[in-house]
């Protein structure tokens, strides 16, 4: 592992310990094999002057909810150092009491809640303290004889602390171990089965010690040929084996039913994931526990391993989870949902599940690192994680339970999965973004490759696809399923506003193009998505037709006929799919000018044609309002949500009111 320290970058923060703390914290955060998604924590000790002119020692410690990769000064909580060091002397304290006392000792009430490892940072007598859950270090300690191996790697350079629960108990343990200790003899501290600390009196030395110590662990793995023991094979998905996507959608459905809310399920069919899933003893080694205990919140103690028969089912996983709960529960804890958070799928890869696309992506990262660490440890002599009672302690930790209780309501489409065609601009883009803002994971298709760029936020996937090409469309739908695990909302939106040609001059090309894109491509999409929607949650299809259906215009034969056919197609779909609970509704927008079809030039020409200004032309409807892509997207979201839960086959205009339709 290389140090990312850069003198020029660092010089911008010179003389400011907190800014340097931010700088090296971000360096640690950039390396996923050190910390993943909120893992690890860092601190710096400084002195400040109070309002009354007194000098006071402070510990700036990473706040909970912040990620080292993106942390800012505001992500560190200033806590009175003396309060923390005195807390370490208390014989007993619950973690809830500890957090409350730490918050009360903050000198800025607006700062985030200090990390649960604040006391531990406080008792280490160095200005800078860095803590990570480095894969290589934890993997070595998660083996039979792991402690001896760690001592072999580091000799006397680090303190070795046996595993105890993070939080007050850990701080207290280190406090006891270090009484009378000459800290300056050590460069760091390894917490078995958990992670590693480094320290120093300047930002660079603490950070670079972390890099050196982790490099020593990596070298150890390399020397013992463990580093290269990570297996890679081609997933069966790459061979075009049919059936993976429908099975994934079924797994997602079963897991979501157990959780009581829809989940996102992301398939990793990379060579590394398929290699891990195909290990001959995978059902044993994958079920021995996580890499580091705080992963249990994201992954549960064990995955579901699909090995066929009852033992490989979601239901059997849930039964096993309930038994695990019963073995360790105390009367005051309530069981969490028994749905798996990751699945080992031999021949295919791994699946990560979560309540949102972000959660599933976090679980996927953890699973990738876990698979690697397991294989390193196996090469050293065997993967041995913590016993399940220790995992239960962390999974049902009072602080985690409190966090769950405090969690606010989730956005309306949380866990839902949508597909929108024609999503690179205009109505499709506005719809994809609005569904995503309201919590849905959304795949957008468009023939314009810009779709891959405009849909780049978490939970958004843009795919270049010509929806009139059946093969390409099938591939795109399957890619969407592999990324998010199913389909609940389909917005069939792709279309073209055909050039105006009266019937006697209408070209075959114009007619064909309109029918192919505005009608036939929608039929192909329906055929592909219906089986997935049957496995969806409150599944719905929303078809973007046109005001031209109830009120056609001269010169719009190609367009109006195709859109009328599309409306009829949707009505038949509403009839056929009602028994499956799939709602199909149609919207008829009119004069939505902020789309790719309308340039300023075209607008001016049209307005002139009617003897109007552009503004008059835009508002040429009963209400005298301009209809935007956002307005249409809002109607799509309403149609996808509870307001339309009992409506199917409806045709709703969004046109400012038209006397020809009313
Ligand atoms: Zn930790």
């Amino acid at each position: 592992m290389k140090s990312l320290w850069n003198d020029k970058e660092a010089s911008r923060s010179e003389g400011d310990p907190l800014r340097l703390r931010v700088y090296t914290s971000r360096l640690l955060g950039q390396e996923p094999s050190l910390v993943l998604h909120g893992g690890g924590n860092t601190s710096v000790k400084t002195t400040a002057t109070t309002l009354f002119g007194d000098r006071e020692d402070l510990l700036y410690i990473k706040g909970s909810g912040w990620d080292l990769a993106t942390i800012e000064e505001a992500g560190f909580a200033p806590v009175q150092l003396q309060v923390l060091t005195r807390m370490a002397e208390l014989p007993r304290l619950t973690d809830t009491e500890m957090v409350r006392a730490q918050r009360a000792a903050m000198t800025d009430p607006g700062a985030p809640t200090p990390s649960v490892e604040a006391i531990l940072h406080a008792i280490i007598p160095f200005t800078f303290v860095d803590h990570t859950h480095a894969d290589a270090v934890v993997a070595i300690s998660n083996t039979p004889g792991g402690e001896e191996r760690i001592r072999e790697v580091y000799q006397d350079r680090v303190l070795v602390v046996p595993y105890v629960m993070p939080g007050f108990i850990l701080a207290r343990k280190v406090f006891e171990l270090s009484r009378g200790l000459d800290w300056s003899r050590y460069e760091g501290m390894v917490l078995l089965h958990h992670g590693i600390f480094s320290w120093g009196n300047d930002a660079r030395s603490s950070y670079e010690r972390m890099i050196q110590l982790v490099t020593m662990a990596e070298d150890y793995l390399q020397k013992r040929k463990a580093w290269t023991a990570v297996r890679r094979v081609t997933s069966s998905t790459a061979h075009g084996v049919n059936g993976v996507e429908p099975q994934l959608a079924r797994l997602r459905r079963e897991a979501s039913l157990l959780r009581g809310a829809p989940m996102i399920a992301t398939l990793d069919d990379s060579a590394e994931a398929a290699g891990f899933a195909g290990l001959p003893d995978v059902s044993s080694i994958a079920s021995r526990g996580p890499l580091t205990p705080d992963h249990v919140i994201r992954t549960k103690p064990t995955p579901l391993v699909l090995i066929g028969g009852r033992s490989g089912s979601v239901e059997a996983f849930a039964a096993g989870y309930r038994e695990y709960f019963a073995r360790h529960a105390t009367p005051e804890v309530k069981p969490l949902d028994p749905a798996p958070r990751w699945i080992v799928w031999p021949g295919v890869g791994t699946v990560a599940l979560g309540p949102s696309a972000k959660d599933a992506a976090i679980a996927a990262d953890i699973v990738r690192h876990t698979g690697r660490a397991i294989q390193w440890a196996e090469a050293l002599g065997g993967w041995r994680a913590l016993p399940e009672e220790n995992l239960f302690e962390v999974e049902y930790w009072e602080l985690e339970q409190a966090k769950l209780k405090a969690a606010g309501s989730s956005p309306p489409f949380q866990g839902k999965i949508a597909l929108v065609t024609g999503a690179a601009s205009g109505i499709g883009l506005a719809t994809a973004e609005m569904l995503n803002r309201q919590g849905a994971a959304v795949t957008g298709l468009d023939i314009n490759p810009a779709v891959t760029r405009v849909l780049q936020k978490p939970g958004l996937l843009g795919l270049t696809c010509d929806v009139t090409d059946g093969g390409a469309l099938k591939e795109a739908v399957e890619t969407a399923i592999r990324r998010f695990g199913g389909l609940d909302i389909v917005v069939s939106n792709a279309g073209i506003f055909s050039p105006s040609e009266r019937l006697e001059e209408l070209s075959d090309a114009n007619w064909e193009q309109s029918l192919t894109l505005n009608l036939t491509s929608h039929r192909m999409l329906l055929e592909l998505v219906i089986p997935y929607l049957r496995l969806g949650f409150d599944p719905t299809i929303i078809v973007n037709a046109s005001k031209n259906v109830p009120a056609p215009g001269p010169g719009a034969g190609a367009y109006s006929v195709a859109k009328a056919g599309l409306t009829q197609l949707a009505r038949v779909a509403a009839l056929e799919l009602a028994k499956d609970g799939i709602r199909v509704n149609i919207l008829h927008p009119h004069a939505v000018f902020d789309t790719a079809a309308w340039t300023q030039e075209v607008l001016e020409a049209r307005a002139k044609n009617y003897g109007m200004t552009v503004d008059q032309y835009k508002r040429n409807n009963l209400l005298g309002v301009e209809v935007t892509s956002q307005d249409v997207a809002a109607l799509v979201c309403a149609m996808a949500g509870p307001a339309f839960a009992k409506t199917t086959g409806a045709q709703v205009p969004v046109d400012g009111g038209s006397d020809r339709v009313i």
Side-chain angles (χ1 to χ4, degrees), residues 39-41 117 131-133 166 170 191 194-197 292 294:
N41 41 58
E117 274 147 11
H131 167 48
T132 72
H133 300 157
L170 173 59
L191 310 178
H194 173 161
I196 180 165
F197 276 76
T292 176
D294 69 337

Side-chain angles (χ1 to χ4, degrees), residues 205-243:
S205 64
S206 183
Y207 164 73
E208 290 193 334
R209 271 180 176 172
M210 175 64 71
I211 301 300
Q212 282 161 16
L213 293 172
V214 174
T215 304
M216 290 167 76
E218 291 181 347
D219 289 346
Y220 179 89
L221 290 172
Q222 236 146 13
K223 256 185 250 143
R224 277 158 187 74
K225 310 246 181 313
W227 191 255
T228 46
V230 178
R231 186 167 170 264
R232 286 178 181 79
V233 300
T234 309
S235 166
S236 64
T237 55
H239 300 305
V241 171
N242 281 323

Side-chain angles (χ1 to χ4, degrees), residues 116-266:
V116 293
E117 274 147 11
I119 298 176
L120 184 45
H121 281 255
I123 60 179
I124 298 174
F126 287 86
T127 311
F128 288 83
V129 176
D130 295 35
H131 167 48
T132 72
H133 300 157
D135 290 352
V137 177
V138 189
I140 294 171
S141 101
N142 285 359
T143 56
E147 183 173 348
E148 291 72 57
R149 289 176 193 280
I150 291 291
R151 292 188 194 280
E152 191 187 334
V153 174
Y154 296 114
Q155 309 294 330
D156 292 332
R157 292 171 71 167
V158 302
L159 269 175
V160 179
V161 182
Y163 178 79
V164 288
M165 171 89 177
F168 183 74
I169 306 173
L170 173 59
R172 175 77 201 170
K173 175 99 183 169
V174 174
F175 174 72
E176 281 166 3
L177 279 176
S178 64
R179 269 197 185 127
L181 182 87
D182 178 7
W183 284 89
S184 65
R185 283 182 44 215
Y186 298 97
E187 295 165 42
M189 170 168 73
V190 171
L191 310 178
L192 295 173
H193 303 292
H194 173 161
I196 180 165
F197 276 76
S198 64
W199 46 71
N201 281 330
D202 61 89
R204 182 175 186 168
S205 64
S206 183
Y207 164 73
E208 290 193 334
R209 271 180 176 172
M210 175 64 71
I211 301 300
Q212 282 161 16
L213 293 172
V214 174
T215 304
M216 290 167 76
E218 291 181 347
D219 289 346
Y220 179 89
L221 290 172
Q222 236 146 13
K223 256 185 250 143
R224 277 158 187 74
K225 310 246 181 313
W227 191 255
T228 46
V230 178
R231 186 167 170 264
R232 286 178 181 79
V233 300
T234 309
S235 166
S236 64
T237 55
H239 300 305
V241 171
N242 281 323
V244 165
E245 293 81 11
Q247 199 180 339
L248 177 61
R250 270 192 294 277
L251 288 166
R252 180 241 177 188
R253 177 170 182 82
E254 290 169 18
S256 301
L257 287 172
L258 281 172
R259 184 174 168 261
M263 295 174 90
I264 304 299
T266 298

